[in-house]
């Protein structure tokens, strides 16, 4: 190839955020209504292009997260999970997007960012089922982000990122049920959590449960990897209340 004829490809770099939280014991994802072309008026994942050539990619993700949630981003779990760069995924040109998963407990009503007309929390199940149409390839990105969370709470302590500083085992079970989309047997869940060393540690007894009795409080333990893992039950086992 003649080097004189080669030109640097024009590629734009962006970040997209799959922001998850529990609201009324259901897993929700943050969506924004696009206020600019293309796909003006359509729902999409929060995100945007790098602000300048010297901006680090994780810094761009943290900036977008702060703009959309108005939270102390130091309290939010944020991790990169995949890169999307198929030609034609964006009509503006060749756009490569680095996707991040963000998780925090009880996130408030969102604030629309700089190029969004509105922002809202949407139940994840409707998004994954296609009941809610998303711009670009954002449904695929959302599905990949949710599956990343579903898989990671099996073998890591990621589930505690959905909880506050202290929580009950019942609240932790609600996280697993919401993220996996199944019901778990409380006794089996309690037994598995208690035998997983370093997953959670006692934090006192202060809060009253629904029964009126004081509930034992816990906080995230020192171990980030769970052994034995909290294996996700197959659907047939979940329906019978077994395998948890």
């Amino acid at each position: 190839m003649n080097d004189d004829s080669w030109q640097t490809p024009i590629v734009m770099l962006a970040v997209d955020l799959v922001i998850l939280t529990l609201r009324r014991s259901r897993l929700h994802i943050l969506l924004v209504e696009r206020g600019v072309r293309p796909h003006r008026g359509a729902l999409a994942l929060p995100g945007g292009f790098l602000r300048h050539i010297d901006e680090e990619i994780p810094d761009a993700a943290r900036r977008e997260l702060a703009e959309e949630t108005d939270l102390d981003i130091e309290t939010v779990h944020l991790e990169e999970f995949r890169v999307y760069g198929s030609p034609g995924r964006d009509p503006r040109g060749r756009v490569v997007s680095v996707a991040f998963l963000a998780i925090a407990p009880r996130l408030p009503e969102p604030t629309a960012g700089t190029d969004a007309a509105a922002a809202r929390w949407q139940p994840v199940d409707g998004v994954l089922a296609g009941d809610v149409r998303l711009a670009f390839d954002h449904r695929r990105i959302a599905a990949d982000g949710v599956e990343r969370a579903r898989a990671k709470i099996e073998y890591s302590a990621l589930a505690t990122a959905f909880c506050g500083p202290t929580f009950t085992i019942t609240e932790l079970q609600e996280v697993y049920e919401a993220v996996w989309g199944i019901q778990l047997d409380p006794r089996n869940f309690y037994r598995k959590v208690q035998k997983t060393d370093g997953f959670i540690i006692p934090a006192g007894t202060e809060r009253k449960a629904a029964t009126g009795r004081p509930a034992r409080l816990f906080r995230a333990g020192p171990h980030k990897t769970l052994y034995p893992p909290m294996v996700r039950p197959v659907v047939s086992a979940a329906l019978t209340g077994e395998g948890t």
Side-chain angles (χ1 to χ4, degrees), residues 146-227:
V146 171
E147 181 54 35
R148 173 67 169 252
R150 286 173 172 170
K152 284 199 71 173
I153 64 173
E154 292 192 53
Y155 62 85
S156 79
L158 181 64
T160 60
F162 286 96
C163 301
T166 60
F167 49 87
T168 66
I169 288 184
T170 297
E171 290 169 339
L172 184 62
Q173 179 177 330
E174 288 179 353
V175 171
Y176 276 89
E177 291 180 334
V179 175
W180 282 344
I182 59 176
Q183 289 188 332
L184 302 173
D185 180 79
R187 290 171 296 181
N188 289 343
F189 182 81
Y190 182 90
R191 185 178 67 251
K192 279 206 163 187
V193 169
Q194 291 289 56
K195 75 176 184 181
T196 303
D197 184 53
F199 182 14
I200 60 174
I201 56 178
T205 304
E206 299 178 0
R207 192 186 310 164
K208 285 189 177 181
T211 61
R213 300 176 182 176
R216 294 183 63 191
L217 297 180
F218 296 85
R219 58 184 174 87
H223 294 178
K224 301 303 180 184
T225 301
L226 304 185
Y227 185 81

Side-chain angles (χ1 to χ4, degrees), residues 11 84-97 137 140:
V11 178
Y84 299 83
S86 298
R89 62 180 298 271
D90 192 312
R92 291 168 292 189
R94 187 67 186 272
V95 176
V96 174
S97 180
D137 55 355
R140 176 190 175 193

Side-chain angles (χ1 to χ4, degrees), residues 20-98:
L20 302 177
T21 195
L22 260 62
R23 297 172 67 83
R24 298 177 296 278
S25 299
R26 294 182 68 188
L27 185 63
H28 282 66
I29 187 170
L30 184 62
L31 300 178
V32 298
E33 180 184 330
R34 289 185 54 80
V36 297
R37 296 182 183 276
H39 303 295
R40 178 182 292 173
L43 293 177
L45 296 173
F49 292 106
L50 269 63
R51 180 165 288 174
H52 51 76
I53 195 171
D54 294 322
E55 185 175 36
E56 297 284 353
I57 295 174
D59 290 342
R62 285 188 284 266
R63 171 177 54 77
E64 291 288 343
L65 180 62
E67 290 176 358
E68 300 294 352
T69 64
D70 195 27
L71 285 177
D72 178 5
I73 59 175
E74 298 302 323
T75 66
V76 178
H77 173 88
L78 182 67
E79 64 174 85
E80 177 186 334
F81 69 89
R82 194 164 178 177
V83 175
Y84 299 83
S86 298
R89 62 180 298 271
D90 192 312
R92 291 168 292 189
R94 187 67 186 272
V95 176
V96 174
S97 180
V98 182

Side-chain angles (χ1 to χ4, degrees), residues 98-114:
V98 182
F100 286 79
L101 175 65
I103 296 171
R106 298 184 293 275
L107 289 177
E109 291 300 323
T111 301
T114 54

Side-chain angles (χ1 to χ4, degrees), residues 31 42-45 127 132-139 142:
L31 300 178
L43 293 177
L45 296 173
V127 174
V132 180
R133 296 179 62 86
L134 300 185
F136 307 108
D137 55 355
H138 286 188
R139 182 187 171 197

